[in-house]
Amino acid sequence: MIYRQLRHEDMVLQKTATSIIVVCDRVTSPANAGAIIRLCDAFGVHQLIFCGNTINLNSNRLKRNSRSAENNVEILHDQNINNLLLRLKKDKYKLVGLEITSTSIPIQHSNTQNKNTVLVLGSERNGIDNQVLLLLDETLHITMFGKNSSMNVGHAAAIALYEITKPLPHENQVKDNR
């Protein structure tokens, strides 16, 4: 059997039926924003909302990291994260934050599949604001084994989106390009 690396054009990608929204609480780095945008595209996220500051979508660093995914993801800005989360909760979204807290559970034990889910990511320096944590239905953490208790927000977003979407059907197929 001969193996070859596939290109994007070789795949038929399936959209998820679940509505996932990612909300970034004061994420400021263009590199992290670009990485998160690219991840949102890869995992079929419905919307990406930056709160607390405006991300420059024309930043060269952001564009390098997003690899043009900013053209495929609905990106919004909202200055008031508390009001945004209250509106989403009223619309029956489950609000989950990725943060180590006294009540957080390992992300692999979360029951977010087949629900409309909002994943809240915190700032690079301070994580999710305490007032925002009070609005969440659940806080999740990534089990780590090293001495550092945190990781880059883009890396954490990748793990979280993988775990949240893992139970969804994975029906992507290779096109027959013979």
Side-chain angles (χ1 to χ4, degrees), residues 17 20 27 33 44 49 67 91 105 119 127 139 142 144 150 169 171 176:
I20 300 171
V27 170
I49 306 170
R67 303 273 313 260
D91 289 340
I105 62 171
L119 174 64
T139 52
I142 297 168
M144 296 185 291
S150 69
E171 301 291 330
D176 187 0

Side-chain angles (χ1 to χ4, degrees), residues 14-20 43-44 46 114-117 168-169:
Q14 177 184 356
K15 292 287 184 186
T16 62
T18 301
S19 179
I20 300 171
F43 285 100
H46 179 69
N114 299 322
K115 292 188 174 108
N116 293 334
T117 303
L168 300 176

Side-chain angles (χ1 to χ4, degrees), residues 62-81:
L62 180 142
K63 287 185 175 193
R64 272 196 312 273
N65 281 19
S66 74
R67 303 273 313 260
S68 299
E70 71 275 8
N71 300 317
N72 305 329
V73 176
E74 183 179 0
I75 302 170
L76 303 171
H77 293 90
D78 195 315
Q79 289 302 313
N80 192 323
I81 190 171

Side-chain angles (χ1 to χ4, degrees), residues 56-113:
N56 179 3
L57 295 176
N58 293 315
S59 158
N60 288 333
R61 182 65 190 242
L62 180 142
K63 287 185 175 193
R64 272 196 312 273
N65 281 19
S66 74
R67 303 273 313 260
S68 299
E70 71 275 8
N71 300 317
N72 305 329
V73 176
E74 183 179 0
I75 302 170
L76 303 171
H77 293 90
D78 195 315
Q79 289 302 313
N80 192 323
I81 190 171
N82 293 347
N83 288 344
L84 170 68
L85 293 178
L86 289 171
R87 281 193 316 268
L88 292 169
K89 189 178 262 199
K90 188 176 178 183
D91 289 340
K92 307 290 187 232
Y93 278 86
K94 181 176 182 178
L95 307 181
V96 297
L98 190 59
E99 187 72 69
I100 298 173
T101 69
S102 59
T103 59
S104 62
I105 62 171
I107 193 164
Q108 66 270 25
H109 296 152
S110 175
N111 185 18
T112 55
Q113 64 265 25

